[in-house]
Amino acid sequence: MASITFNQDSVTLLGNEVKVGDTAPNFILLSNDLKEVTLDDYQGKVKLIAAVPSVDTGVCAEETIRFNKEADTLPNVQVLTISMDLPFAQGRWCAANGVKQLDTLSDHRNADFGKNYGVLIEELRLLARAIFVVDANNKVTYVEYVSEATNHPDYDKALEAAKNA
């Protein structure tokens, strides 16, 4: 299992670590309009999935804005940002920050994504920062569990992986 820290303190990740070559686990999340969303809703597309603790924090906001800007350069790639934030808060944040090119999805109800992708922080009930690239056939082609949850992911590697998936 990936080992991470949050503000330099060790935390426990619940769920199963996802590895390159795995079939992407399914999930049930909520969209900003409270509709259930699953992996199947993105069938046939490459998915760049960014798990973040909260879009309403500095690094998470910068990450989401960066991926929103990059989304136009990624043909047939759907960018998803997933957090434990409530759908209403995600919607307000996206509107205030001009984020329209990616989907923000909430895992607050059941922590389904967090458990299935091994990013649920037990002590905080937040998601650890991680990036997953899933190809059009739902095979995982890239994984980064960011070792310190308050650090940025490797944007260049994640974007390159999405372009090549």
Side-chain angles (χ1 to χ4, degrees):
M1 195 63 192
S3 174
I4 70 150
T5 57
F6 192 96
N7 287 324
Q8 307 304 319
D9 293 325
S10 291
V11 293
T12 306
L13 295 182
L14 300 178
N16 301 310
E17 183 175 0
V18 172
K19 296 183 171 107
V20 170
D22 288 352
T23 297
N26 202 3
F27 50 73
I28 300 172
L29 300 166
L30 291 178
S31 66
N32 295 166
D33 60 1
L34 301 179
K35 289 185 172 58
E36 286 190 350
V37 176
T38 70
L39 186 64
D40 291 340
D41 291 315
Y42 301 100
Q43 189 66 30
K45 289 187 174 186
V46 172
K47 283 77 63 183
L48 188 157
I49 303 171
V52 300
S54 174
V55 292
D56 203 21
T57 60
V59 174
C60 300
E62 288 177 39
E63 178 179 337
T64 304
I65 290 167
R66 166 87 185 262
F67 282 133
N68 182 67
K69 286 179 183 173
E70 298 281 358
D72 279 341
T73 69
L74 301 169
N76 201 40
V77 175
Q78 178 63 55
V79 180
L80 311 174
T81 296
I82 301 171
S83 71
M84 296 296 267
D85 295 309
L86 293 174
F88 313 110
Q90 289 177 336
R92 278 191 306 273
W93 184 89
C94 286
N97 290 281
V99 172
K100 297 177 183 172
Q101 304 303 318
L102 59 79
D103 290 351
T104 53
L105 301 168
S106 176
D107 199 24
H108 87 95
R109 187 169 58 183
N110 297 319
D112 193 55
F113 177 87
K115 294 173 194 166
N116 291 348
Y117 283 73
V119 293
L120 180 61
I121 300 173
E122 181 178 32
E123 295 84 353
L124 302 171
R125 199 173 178 348
L126 294 173
L127 300 182
R129 188 175 317 283
I131 304 290
F132 305 93
V133 174
V134 177
D135 72 13
N137 297 312
N138 289 338
K139 288 290 181 201
V140 178
T141 63
Y142 177 84
V143 174
E144 180 187 7
Y145 288 90
V146 180
S147 60
E148 166 55 48
T150 62
N151 289 345
H152 288 273
D154 189 326
Y155 296 107
D156 293 336
K157 283 186 180 176
L159 292 165
E160 188 65 27
K163 288 175 185 173
N164 293 330

